Amino acid sequence: MRAHPVLWAALLLCASRGWAEPLRVPLGVAEPVGIARTAEPVTTGVPLPAGRVRGGDALWVADREGRAVPSQARVLERWPDGTARWVLVDFLASAGARETATYSVRDGRPPAPPRGATVRTTPDPAGQRIATGALDALVARDGALVRDLQPGAAQVGRPTLTADDVTGQDAGNSRLSVETQGPVRTELLLTGRHAGDLVSEVRLAAFAGSPAIRMQLTLTSLSDRPYTRIRSLLLPIGGAFATGVLGLGGAARRFPLDEPHGVEQLDAGPARLDGTPADVVGDGWARAIGERVVVTAVRRWFAEEWPQRMTVSRTSLDVDLLAGREDPVELGIGAAKTFELWLVFEQPDVARDPAALAASLQHPLVARIDPGWIAASRALPNALSPGGPGVHDLLPRLETAIGRYLARNRAERWDDGPPVDCEQRPREHERVGAYGALNWGDWNFPGYRDHSEGCDAWGNLEYDGTQVLGLAWAAGGSRASWDAFVAAARHYRDVDIVHYAPGHDEWKGMNHPHKVKHFAIESKNKLDLGHTWLEGLVTHYRLTGEARSLEVARGIADVLVRRRAKAGNPRQYGWPMIALAAAYDATGEARYREAALSYADAAIAVHQPTPASGDWKMGILADGIAAAHAITREARLREWLVRYGDALVAEPARFEDPRYALPLGYLAQLTGQARYRDVGLATVDDMPIGDWGKTLAVSGRTAFRVLGGLGPGSAPAATRGRAAPPPASAPAPRPRSRSPRAPARRKAN
């Protein structure tokens, strides 16, 4: 799907002439696991150039032959002129096994209306009724979350949480609302509490023609306890069943239900079947078969987000999302966790093969937008065009590094012992793999020993690894990058953010810097303006429409607005400016722009415009000032930037750390001066890309930030007052290896 640069030049020319040509946004839908798909749901954010489309109702999706397929669209974000900048599109796609199907987003009137089932939602005294053409269900305010209304009905009960000091079912859903409504996807939101201090959000999505419901359950601690030690978070699906089937090691294990049978994944090693260790991991699905109904539960990331358990019996299919039991999961103050579970209700004579069904739900179809279109639209800051300077050489290196990063995370050895004090640890609790319910999506500092952050601290995706993975997906289209991006975004917005802080309201909304257990209250380090980022969450919202990601990004920005007086070293000015500029770019709220300018003015008053004024942190400061200038156009910020850039390019060998070069792409775009471009390109060309989470994020951000300002379509964009995309940031030493018994002492920047 690579487009010739001439095509995008023509696209931009059409823009200047008033968009005489019909809209055609190319989408590629690749089937990833070797299972043919028919009319399966796809959700994707689509970027649009300014001035092109007014609303989502003007858009439709066409297949390769130009026929309309069932779809819906709504605007996520608008340009200053009121036209759509990002539109969330849902449609039904078909693709052969390991094949790529071609679709396109179009405007105007389709040649004929699409055929197929639609989702219908109607209010009911007990809640909301949903009909998809393959499923008729009631989502209740009280009692069962979901009741299948087909013959031989099954019922999904409320989650039951068992923890030290907290036991009981959801204390009652305080709110049931329709969050998204359309003919292809409708999603309901239920909120409730467990014993008063654990809040739950349950999002239930139904899809046209599908017997499946997707559940995303988010649990947040509003407790004053340092940790809530969770032993079970059980979701029961009741019915009358005679046979059970469990997925284990790629095989379906079938059982008569004379007694219950279960598979549990307690760590990253082999699973246990009926309490006996197996030689393989669990596949994350279970099926209960009755005379008139077949219920299949499918967990995404079952082996990665341990501990989990799935059990089948005559009366229930039980999914334990946090099967801590003897080794409880410790959810810290203000932390959250989102679980994704699919529930499929079928009649016995039409039930699909459970392993194939599970694989298709665990690996949903994803639409890839042509990277040339993304860059030309100017709607995704720092997106790379395939024909841009340096991009052809960068992308293979970056994809290789991401592959090595994921492999390293699978094999990393780390210590899960008591948090602090490190020197007083009586023993280690060794783990293998950066997995676990509260860890999946992040990376570890193996061998890290520090008196403030803790032992074997987690990176908390510093340098915005989420953004690097999202931009890598947009530029290269690797499915591995996409899956890692989604896991990282959900982890960061849930686990690494302070959602509640009794006695410290000023912390609420901010992210934790790297620390043990992600959020350990015992750690001395609290908040750090030099370790805060939100661009990856904005990108995740734009590409998926998940509102929670934007909400958390805004929460971070709201804290930064109030904390300018806390800034000290250069990066404590730089990172907040980058974050605030991104928040302003996404929302248009003037207070974020004003706060970014406040940080910038304070920074230039105390830091001279030269890399020699400090260490590599000066590069992050300069990049922050570039971000602030892009949304304010203040002459004093431009003057500071030009002086910084001139000092850098005059002696580039003196400043070897790639982070010094972060603003050079923006300066080249701003001034048209080749000297900034040349040094920026040389920096990216010479820069190694590491396989550790921190070095990958550092180098990846630097590359996207520098090259993003050099390619076609990178001229100042007509965003909400912005003149160009937001910024990025940078490097750090690779961690030393350690033996499993003798961790090396190390410190990270």
Side-chain angles (χ1 to χ4, degrees), residues 65-254:
E65 286 73 35
R67 297 170 301 205
V69 300
S71 66
Q72 66 189 59
R74 65 180 177 88
V75 176
L76 293 177
E77 191 176 309
R78 294 187 181 274
W79 294 97
D81 65 359
T83 57
R85 183 180 185 185
W86 281 91
V87 175
L88 188 69
V89 177
D90 289 270
F91 65 102
L92 299 183
S94 299
R98 300 197 184 280
E99 295 180 356
T100 298
T102 301
Y103 292 85
S104 59
V105 178
R106 305 190 180 191
D107 62 356
R109 180 173 296 180
R115 295 182 178 181
T118 60
V119 181
R120 300 188 309 277
T121 307
T122 55
D124 185 277
Q128 290 280 346
R129 294 186 65 150
I130 296 179
T132 69
L135 174 70
D136 189 6
L138 171 70
V139 178
R141 290 186 177 87
D142 300 308
L145 287 180
V146 178
R147 182 179 297 114
D148 177 20
L149 301 181
Q150 303 284 359
Q155 178 172 298
V156 183
R158 288 192 300 226
T160 300
L161 184 140
T162 303
D164 296 354
D165 304 319
V166 180
T167 301
Q169 283 189 333
D170 188 320
N173 292 310
S174 59
R175 181 169 174 259
L176 170 62
S177 60
V178 180
E179 193 169 65
T180 299
Q181 189 164 26
V184 172
R185 174 175 63 95
T186 288
E187 194 153 1
L188 306 181
L189 172 63
L190 302 99
T191 59
R193 284 179 177 262
H194 292 269
D197 59 11
L198 294 176
V199 172
S200 65
E201 293 180 344
V202 181
R203 288 178 167 84
L204 297 166
F207 303 89
S210 174
I213 289 179
R214 185 187 68 201
M215 174 182 292
Q216 292 179 343
L217 188 157
T218 302
L219 188 70
T220 305
S221 171
L222 303 185
S223 170
D224 292 347
R225 295 181 297 276
Y227 297 101
T228 298
R229 294 167 53 84
I230 300 175
R231 299 184 181 273
S232 175
L233 180 59
L234 187 66
L235 186 74
I237 302 105
F241 308 117
T243 305
V245 191
L246 298 170
L248 188 65
R253 310 290 181 95
R254 193 178 184 92

Side-chain angles (χ1 to χ4, degrees), residues 371-389:
W373 174 274
I374 296 175
S377 74
R378 303 181 187 172
L380 182 62
N382 296 322
L384 298 184
S385 171

Side-chain angles (χ1 to χ4, degrees), residues 296-317:
T296 308
V298 180
R299 266 290 285 129
R300 195 174 184 187
W301 299 317
F302 182 78
E304 293 84 1
E305 293 185 326
W306 49 260
Q308 300 189 64
R309 180 180 174 88
M310 303 182 106
T311 306
V312 287
S313 69
R314 283 191 172 276
T315 59
S316 184
L317 191 168

Side-chain angles (χ1 to χ4, degrees), residues 371-710:
W373 174 274
I374 296 175
S377 74
R378 303 181 187 172
L380 182 62
N382 296 322
L384 298 184
S385 171
V391 175
H392 181 268
D393 294 330
L394 170 70
L395 292 184
R397 296 167 54 210
L398 182 62
E399 185 170 343
T400 298
I402 291 174
R404 292 173 60 195
Y405 158 72
L406 296 175
R408 178 176 180 145
N409 265 11
R410 288 191 291 271
E412 191 80 86
R413 301 170 76 170
W414 56 281
D415 183 3
D416 194 22
V420 289
D421 180 287
C422 301
E423 304 301 330
Q424 297 179 8
R425 274 189 174 181
R427 60 182 175 82
E428 290 189 349
H429 184 184
E430 183 177 292
R431 300 283 196 184
V432 177
Y435 299 152
L438 301 178
N439 304 329
W440 173 242
D442 202 357
W443 48 268
N444 194 258
F445 279 93
Y448 190 94
R449 291 292 180 266
D450 185 271
H451 289 285
S452 61
E453 283 90 356
C455 309
D456 274 27
W458 288 88
N460 287 5
L461 292 159
E462 66 170 324
Y463 286 95
D464 210 343
T466 307
Q467 175 74 336
V468 171
L469 293 167
L471 291 176
W473 155 257
S478 164
R479 180 59 186 251
S481 296
W482 172 264
D483 291 340
F485 165 62
V486 171
R490 290 184 179 179
H491 168 87
Y492 181 66
R493 78 182 187 198
D494 288 339
V495 178
D496 295 341
I497 302 300
V498 183
H499 298 283
Y500 176 69
H504 294 280
D505 287 344
E506 72 277 11
W507 296 355
K508 184 179 177 182
M510 195 66 163
N511 64 293
H512 292 283
H514 52 73
K515 64 168 58 176
V516 69
K517 297 180 77 71
H518 309 280
F519 44 63
I521 195 67
E522 302 96 321
S523 296
K524 296 177 183 178
N525 67 329
K526 303 304 179 186
L527 303 185
D528 185 349
L529 294 179
H531 287 78
T532 185
W533 25 82
L534 58 78
E535 287 174 289
L537 292 179
V538 172
T539 297
H540 184 249
Y541 167 71
R542 287 166 168 166
L543 291 174
T544 67
E546 293 191 20
R548 185 172 171 83
S549 292
L550 181 62
E551 291 169 1
V552 171
R554 292 173 68 113
I556 296 170
D558 290 342
V559 175
L560 294 176
V561 168
R562 305 189 299 266
R563 292 183 70 86
R564 201 267 297 162
K566 300 292 185 180
N569 69 52
R571 71 175 175 183
Q572 290 178 340
Y573 287 102
W575 278 118
M577 285 187 276
I578 292 168
L580 288 163
Y584 173 69
D585 183 60
T587 68
E589 292 195 18
R591 61 199 181 96
Y592 298 143
R593 176 185 179 276
E594 293 164 0
L597 182 58
S598 174
Y599 275 92
D601 282 336
I604 65 176
V606 296
H607 294 289
Q608 294 299 309
T610 170
S613 182
D615 59 11
W616 52 266
K617 298 182 185 70
M618 288 299 297
I620 297 172
L621 170 60
D623 200 30
I625 291 175
H629 178 263
I631 61 173
T632 64
R633 312 302 289 174
E634 291 290 344
R636 59 188 178 277
L637 303 186
R638 175 185 172 125
E639 179 184 357
W640 193 101
L641 272 176
V642 169
R643 292 175 62 188
Y644 174 92
D646 287 348
L648 175 59
V649 301
E651 298 181 278
R654 180 182 172 189
F655 307 104
E656 293 183 340
D657 193 308
R659 285 173 284 195
Y660 285 114
L662 278 164
L664 291 184
Y666 180 78
L667 275 168
Q669 172 197 131
L670 182 67
T671 66
Q673 297 296 316
R675 64 183 186 275
Y676 303 131
R677 175 186 182 276
D678 293 344
V679 174
L681 281 173
T683 299
V684 174
D685 287 344
D686 295 340
M687 178 179 62
I689 304 177
D691 61 5
W692 180 46
K694 185 163 187 171
T695 53
L696 172 67
V698 162
S699 300
R701 283 197 64 100
T702 302
F704 280 112
R705 179 55 171 155
V706 173
L707 299 187
L710 301 178

